[in-house]
Amino acid sequence: MSEQTFYVTTPIYYVNDVPHIGHSYTTIAADVLARFWRAQGRDVHFLTGTDEHGIKIVKSAAAREMTPRQLADDVVVHFQDLWKDLNIANDDFIRTSQPRHEQRVQALVQRLVDQDDIYEGRYEGWYDEGQEEFVTESTARDNDYKSAITSRPLTRYSESSWFFRLSKYVPALIEHIQAHPRFILPEARRNEVLSKLALGVEDLSISRPLEKLGGWGVPMPNDPTHSVYVWIDALSNYYTALGMPKIGDEFDGRCERFWPCDLHLIGKDILWFHAVYWPCMLLALKIPLPKTIFAHGWWTAEGKKMSKTLGNFISNDDIRHICGTYSRDVYRYFLLRAVNFGSDGDFSRDQLQLRYNAELANGVGNLLSRTVNMIGRYFDAAVPAVQDDVPEAVAVREAAEALLRGAAPAMELCQFHVYLDLVMDLVYATNKFIDVTEPFKLAKDAARKGRLATILYTCAEAVRIILGRLAPVMPETARRGLGQLGLDESAAQGQADRWGLLAPGTAAAKGEGLFPRKS
Ligand code: ME8
């Protein structure tokens, strides 16, 4: 049987400014999924990158007296550095200004031209430069001719343009969405897209005069005076990064295995592009559609919309500061723990501190140190074998089995909050088990050593399972914790993991606390 694959993507981020918490959120979520499925034995491909064309970049570059390429070369490094600092293990990083991408975008557009899905027309209307989005008259009017996202005034355009026959593919798209309940997640977003589609969709202007962009863009293959609309250019990255469509003999067959993509992870702001433009383009090209597009919610900071003027903007430097105070693993954990994935959330340093103390220091860290300490003291630092029956251990084992059973289904649906709830349920159940059974009192009575052995095996086994499940979210912390149980990650992950795999005799060695106290 061929190995199961998992291909996950983040949006490719604009290089007009440095990364912030929002970018880190999507990228961390994708990294956690990639690590989880890798550990489950799937062949994973994780793609991220940067979106470098378009008027937004051209204008930002001009404001800084740079060329768009200089700006892109400058800002891309901030993204790449932040991903390294957050321990993101992506397999590829695509930049839309790379020749490997540009030539393939042209090949895709040429195919659409050849099959008469692109025609010449005239675009008259509104454009949201911040979003790089064409806006209809009625939407523009409803928002007082301002951007619904950035509130900046819309720009008026009247120019010749090439159009993609988007409307021709909308009926097939609606059918696809209805037949595939997991195509757009969460469900509320899927309903939103369906309702908006029901209002009718016009064909899409997909080119801009290249001179208006100072030549910065992918030229239309049939008309080099025009550049491919930045969203058509950008969305194609998910396909071109795999080396497709094939050009010459540089094609790497391995990549073909990853299409159709399993998951496009995006923020809710860019759902329409991903759920309508991209699939219609793929339908036209007769390329299979991605399996799932998941739109997560938006972060505010300290109760307000993030903005540089309000001073609550959480930039790459702020993220590094938070990671320095706690650790990058704690930051990763908090983003996925604090908010149900799919809902909006607020980043608050007080909340981070509270969760750090309650869940990580007093929960996970305390459980590990109590367990390793007692094994050290009472069993010469070797995990004991189960001896006497301890009825109270059933609750721990049940919580562990609920976690083992529930982990993959939660990850299938990007429900990180459900996943981490299951982890914390086991942490609490095991800490409670220690409080109830009081192993430190049993140690004084040699006749009760058999009961003590079962209790400590149960704790150690629970810790192994907890740290194994935390590993995709907190890779370094999990590695250090498992090291104190004499294990590496491979001993705590994988599809075949089950209760009881911890071998008695494993050497436990007390180490530094996983979560030092912070005031
Ligand atoms: O839209 N909360 O790039 P972009 C949560 N280049 N996530 C947020 C966020 C917030 N406050 N702000 C941004 C683009 N994001 C296009 C994408 S894809 C083919 C092209 C995240 O730099 C979220 O994932 O504006 C959102 O979708 C993405 O950053 C937008 O990044």
Side-chain angles (χ1 to χ4, degrees):
M1 209 181 79
S2 75
E3 201 179 4
Q4 208 181 350
T5 55
F6 180 70
Y7 177 28
V8 59
T9 66
T10 72
I12 48 172
Y13 305 111
Y14 286 128
V15 286
N16 63 316
D17 209 343
V18 294
H20 58 67
I21 182 175
H23 303 124
S24 77
Y25 186 45
T26 326
T27 310
I28 288 170
D31 186 59
V32 169
L33 290 168
R35 286 174 187 269
F36 179 83
W37 291 117
R38 261 186 222 120
Q40 296 289 306
R42 289 205 201 171
D43 184 9
V44 170
H45 193 69
F46 167 18
L47 174 71
T48 187
T50 41
D51 186 354
E52 304 192 350
H53 294 130
I55 191 74
K56 184 169 164 140
I57 311 297
V58 172
K59 287 199 165 173
S60 294
R64 289 176 217 193
E65 297 182 352
M66 294 167 113
T67 65
R69 184 170 293 284
Q70 281 168 334
L71 177 67
D73 287 347
D74 191 50
V75 177
V76 71
V77 178
H78 289 281
F79 280 91
Q80 290 168 333
D81 284 352
L82 185 63
W83 301 158
K84 263 186 230 126
D85 290 347
L86 290 175
N87 206 1
I88 303 297
N90 50 301
D91 297 290
D92 194 2
F93 188 102
I94 188 163
R95 301 178 58 180
T96 52
S97 62
Q98 287 167 334
R100 64 161 171 164
H101 172 73
E102 292 185 349
Q103 59 182 356
R104 290 190 166 83
V105 170
Q106 287 192 312
L108 290 173
V109 173
Q110 184 63 54
R111 258 159 75 180
L112 295 173
V113 171
D114 292 345
Q115 64 191 44
D116 192 34
D117 272 322
I118 285 179
Y119 63 92
E120 198 167 12
R122 199 168 174 79
Y123 180 75
E124 301 244 4
W126 300 100
Y127 195 72
D128 177 344
E129 288 182 351
Q131 285 288 96
E132 299 275 17
E133 182 175 13
F134 299 100
V135 180
T136 62
E137 179 61 36
S138 60
T139 310
R141 199 181 329 111
D142 290 350
N143 288 309
D144 206 14
Y145 301 94
K146 291 191 181 133
S147 163
I149 305 276
T150 62
S151 303
R152 298 226 179 89
L154 300 175
T155 316
R156 182 81 194 165
Y157 276 111
S158 169
E159 57 195 24
S160 80
S161 177
W162 294 93
F163 283 79
F164 166 54
R165 294 190 198 281
L166 183 69
S167 56
K168 176 173 151 192
Y169 294 98
V170 166
L173 173 65
I174 294 176
E175 230 172 79
H176 185 87
I177 298 174
Q178 281 166 342
H180 298 85
R182 286 198 189 179
F183 181 58
I184 302 171
L185 287 176
E187 202 185 336
R189 301 269 170 232
R190 173 174 179 260
N191 296 338
E192 256 173 49
V193 170
L194 280 172
S195 328
K196 200 169 159 194
L197 282 172
L199 300 175
V201 177
E202 288 171 9
D203 286 347
L204 179 66
S205 163
I206 60 146
S207 77
R208 303 283 320 279
L210 200 49
E211 66 173 348
K212 292 209 171 160
L213 298 160
W216 184 242
V218 179
M220 288 288 286
N222 58 334
D223 175 2
T225 67
H226 270 238
S227 129
V228 175
Y229 171 39
V230 65
W231 269 100
I232 297 296
D233 168 359
L235 290 161
S236 306
N237 92 89
Y238 303 129
Y239 192 68
T240 64
L242 295 184
M244 296 197 293
K246 302 177 198 182
I247 290 176
D249 55 6
E250 54 175 302
F251 178 70
D252 169 4
R254 194 184 96 92
C255 289
E256 195 173 27
R257 304 178 53 223
F258 292 113
W259 196 268
C261 181
D262 292 270
L263 179 64
H264 291 318
L265 265 186
I266 57 169
K268 64 179 184 178
D269 52 320
I270 55 175
L271 179 58
W272 187 251
F273 304 97
H274 283 80
V276 179
Y277 297 173
W278 178 227
C280 283
M281 200 178 142
L282 292 171
L283 283 169
L285 292 164
K286 299 193 175 53
I287 296 171
L289 303 194
K291 291 179 202 155
T292 298
I293 300 157
F294 192 109
H296 64 65
W298 261 40
W299 285 92
T300 53
E302 310 293 347
K304 297 200 187 74
K305 187 171 175 199
M306 271 199 302
S307 95
K308 287 193 171 158
T309 39
L310 281 180
N312 66 343
F313 195 83
I314 302 177
S315 70
N316 51 350
D317 287 340
D318 300 308
I319 294 171
R320 283 197 185 89
H321 188 255
I322 296 164
C323 293
T325 307
Y326 298 90
S327 70
R328 55 190 183 180
D329 279 359
V330 170
Y331 177 72
R332 293 165 60 106
Y333 172 84
F334 181 74
L335 288 192
L336 298 183
R337 174 71 175 150
V339 179
N340 289 4
F341 203 67
S343 308
D344 292 337
D346 183 53
F347 186 89
S348 128
R349 284 172 173 80
D350 287 348
Q351 279 298 318
L352 171 57
Q353 175 70 27
L354 283 174
R355 285 201 189 264
Y356 180 81
N357 284 339
E359 298 175 358
L360 298 175
N362 296 337
V364 180
N366 193 27
L367 174 60
L368 172 71
S369 69
R370 291 213 276 178
T371 303
V372 172
N373 271 336
M374 288 190 282
I375 292 174
R377 213 168 318 145
Y378 310 137
F379 289 96
D380 285 336
V383 173
V386 167
Q387 294 182 31
D388 294 0
D389 186 39
V390 175
E392 298 92 324
V394 172
V396 176
R397 183 167 173 166
E398 280 176 359
E401 282 171 347
L403 169 58
L404 289 167
R405 242 192 343 266
M411 288 302 204
E412 284 283 356
L413 295 172
C414 304
Q415 295 192 316
F416 303 104
H417 52 289
V418 172
Y419 181 91
L420 290 172
D421 268 349
L422 289 168
V423 173
M424 289 315 297
D425 286 350
L426 178 57
V427 172
Y428 294 136
T430 316
N431 269 328
K432 186 169 161 210
F433 174 65
I434 297 179
D435 295 342
V436 170
T437 54
E438 300 185 309
F440 33 87
K441 287 192 181 157
L442 301 178
K444 294 175 192 128
D445 182 353
R448 309 195 75 188
K449 193 99 187 208
R451 180 171 163 84
L452 182 61
T454 302
I455 293 171
L456 291 184
Y457 180 86
T458 303
C459 293
E461 178 59 336
V463 170
R464 180 188 71 85
I465 291 169
I466 289 162
L467 293 175
R469 289 336 93 169
L470 277 179
V473 183
M474 312 184 81
E476 289 164 324
T477 310
R479 191 177 321 117
R480 284 200 293 131
L482 285 165
Q484 295 189 27
L485 274 181
L487 302 171
D488 63 24
E489 291 131 294
S490 63
Q493 292 181 336
Q495 251 176 333
D497 199 11
R498 60 180 165 77
W499 181 267
L501 287 190
L502 178 62
T506 305
K510 197 175 167 225
E512 262 176 52
L514 291 187
F515 305 104
R517 291 260 155 237
K518 309 272 171 205
S519 50

